[in-house]
């Protein structure tokens, strides 16, 4: 019977030593070879496995195979693809020499690549070898970029360009990661927070505001879900006014529509006419759109884009 070379691939995004039961059985039963010491190799040794650092070469593996019958190759984070390819070609030419098995000791969990973004940002923010521009930023200086990236994402969604949506979501994520990294380094210790804190707050909020999913609350449909969300949000924020918490930096049409929505939801009747004639006319149009269930911001945006097309035709 030919021996076996087990190519053990593990996720570099999980703590060292987090392996499947099958992987642990294999590394404890057979000698483990690897190209360099690593946290994973140290974790295997600490658990009683025999781990030896050797030259990453097919001949070295075959020599170990002849001595032990079965050997495990602990792959580097990139999977040691070149070595695996060379070994596979050699065994294809000499099929009776050995078998090559691929064993996944661990997999990347969903969202694991966000850890890569954090690692790259740590490198970029290094005080000596990082990027000077990023280290010089503040939350205030980055704010315009967040708006710009959000608008570019909006454009991609409007155009139904999913490739662009994917790219622009990454640019928005960059803003989130960078803001969190700046907060981690702020001189005000009491105000520091990390990306983990941001994610933890989000998880807690999602669980708290969706009791129909996490706490067995009964709902009759989407309207009940929205009502529950708003009631929970109101209790959390303890706002004195129906218009507290409205984002004031949004475009004026969207801001007006949001205020009208809040007032209507609160069941209020407000007698109001803007003093400026132009403001009064624009406000009246947004009120009319709101009463008709239309989006004034989207309507004006559509008209503006049509005007752009007309300008290009005229040119």
């Amino acid at each position: 019977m030919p021996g076996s070379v087990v190519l053990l691939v593990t996720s570099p995004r999980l703590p060292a030593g987090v392996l499947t039961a099958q992987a642990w059985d294999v590394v404890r039963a057979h000698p483990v070879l690897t190209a360099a010491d690593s946290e994973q190799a140290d974790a295997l040794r600490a658990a009683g496995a025999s781990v030896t650092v050797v030259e990453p070469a097919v001949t070295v593996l075959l020599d170990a195979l002849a001595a032990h019958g079965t050997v495990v190759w602990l792959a580097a984070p990139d999977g040691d693809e070149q070595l695996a390819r060379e070994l596979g070609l050699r065994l294809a030419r000499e099929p009776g020499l050995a078998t090559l098995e691929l064993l996944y000791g661990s997999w990347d969990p969903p969202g694991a690549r966000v850890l890569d973004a954090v690692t790259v940002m740590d490198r970029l923010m290094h005080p000596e070898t990082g990027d000077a521009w990023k280290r010089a930023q503040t939350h205030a200086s980055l704010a315009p970029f967040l708006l710009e990236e959000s608008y570019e994402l909006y454009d991609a969604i409007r155009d139904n360009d999913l490739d662009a949506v994917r790219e622009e979501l990454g640019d928005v994520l960059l803003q989130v990661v960078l803001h969190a990294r700046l907060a981690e380094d702020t001189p005000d210790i009491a105000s520091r927070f990390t990306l983990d804190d941001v994610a933890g707050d989000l998880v807690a909020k999602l669980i708290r505001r969706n009791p129909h999913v996490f706490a067995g609350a009964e709902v009759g449909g989407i309207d009940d879900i929205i009502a529950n969300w708003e009631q929970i949000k109101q209790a959390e924020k303890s706002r004195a006014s129906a218009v507290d918490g409205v984002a004031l930096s949004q475009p004026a049409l969207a801001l007006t529509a949001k205020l009208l929505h809040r007032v209507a939801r609160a069941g209020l009747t407000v007698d109001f006419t803007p003093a400026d004639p132009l403001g009064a006319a624009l406000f009246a149009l947004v009120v009319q759109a709101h009463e008709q269930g239309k989006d004034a911001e989207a309507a004006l945006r559509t008209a503006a884009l049509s005007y752009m097309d007309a300008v290009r035709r005229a040119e």
Side-chain angles (χ1 to χ4, degrees):
M1 291 289 291
S4 295
V5 177
V6 181
L7 180 63
L8 177 60
V9 178
T10 61
S11 169
R13 301 175 185 90
L14 291 178
V18 177
L19 302 177
T20 64
Q22 180 186 9
W24 275 117
D25 288 343
V26 170
V27 299
R28 286 185 172 125
H30 306 287
V32 180
L33 308 180
T34 189
D37 273 321
S38 62
E39 291 183 2
Q40 193 71 268
D42 290 342
L44 298 187
R45 290 192 187 99
S50 171
V51 182
T52 305
V53 176
V54 299
E55 179 186 356
V58 171
T59 54
V60 173
L61 276 173
L62 294 180
D63 288 344
L65 186 68
H68 302 286
T70 295
V71 294
V72 179
W73 180 261
L74 175 60
D78 63 1
D80 286 337
E81 294 181 4
Q82 182 63 32
L83 176 63
R85 186 179 300 109
E86 292 176 1
L87 180 61
L89 291 174
R90 175 70 180 273
L91 297 182
R93 292 194 300 268
E94 303 178 52
L97 188 61
T99 60
L100 177 61
E101 302 177 20
L102 177 61
L103 175 60
Y104 284 98
S106 58
W107 297 266
D108 287 347
R113 296 306 297 270
V114 176
L115 299 177
D116 290 348
V118 173
T119 300
V120 169
M121 185 56 65
D122 285 342
R123 177 76 178 272
L124 289 169
M125 295 294 285
H126 191 279
E128 297 175 359
T129 60
D131 178 68
W133 183 88
K134 289 180 177 60
R135 293 201 312 272
Q137 299 311 302
T138 66
H139 296 299
S141 69
L142 288 174
F145 295 103
L146 177 59
L147 285 178
E148 180 181 354
E149 300 298 353
S150 297
Y151 284 134
E152 290 179 1
L153 173 58
Y154 185 100
D155 286 345
I157 293 172
R158 183 201 63 216
D159 294 340
N160 196 30
D161 185 345
L162 294 185
D163 288 336
V165 168
R166 174 177 173 174
E167 178 182 355
E168 299 303 338
L169 281 170
D171 289 341
V172 172
L173 178 60
L174 166 60
Q175 297 299 310
V176 175
V177 174
L178 183 50
H179 276 282
R181 190 62 178 77
L182 289 173
E184 190 174 346
D185 290 340
T186 184
D188 182 3
I189 297 178
S191 299
R192 287 179 184 173
F193 61 83
T194 67
L195 186 62
D196 282 335
D197 295 323
V198 174
D201 290 347
L202 172 60
V203 169
K205 180 186 293 184
L206 289 174
I207 293 174
R208 191 170 60 247
R209 293 188 183 179
N210 291 277
H212 58 291
V213 175
F214 298 102
E218 297 291 333
V219 293
I222 292 178
D223 289 342
D224 286 353
I225 293 173
I226 295 174
N228 280 349
W229 178 283
E230 294 297 343
Q231 289 174 4
I232 296 168
K233 184 177 180 180
Q234 179 66 27
E236 290 173 356
K237 301 296 183 180
S238 299
R239 289 169 174 160
S241 170
V243 295
D244 284 350
V246 173
L248 302 182
S249 298
Q250 61 187 305
L253 288 181
L255 171 61
T256 304
K258 187 66 174 181
L259 292 172
L260 292 171
H261 172 74
R262 287 284 193 91
V263 169
R265 193 179 65 204
L268 298 173
T269 300
V270 181
D271 184 15
F272 172 73
T273 302
D276 176 76
L278 178 58
L282 293 172
F283 190 86
L285 285 174
V286 180
V287 171
Q288 181 181 348
H290 175 74
E291 292 173 346
Q292 295 175 358
K294 296 179 180 179
D295 185 338
E297 178 74 25
L300 182 58
R301 184 180 301 275
T302 299
L305 294 176
S306 296
Y307 179 65
M308 286 179 62
D309 292 339
V311 169
R312 292 191 175 96
R313 288 194 298 270
E315 289 172 337

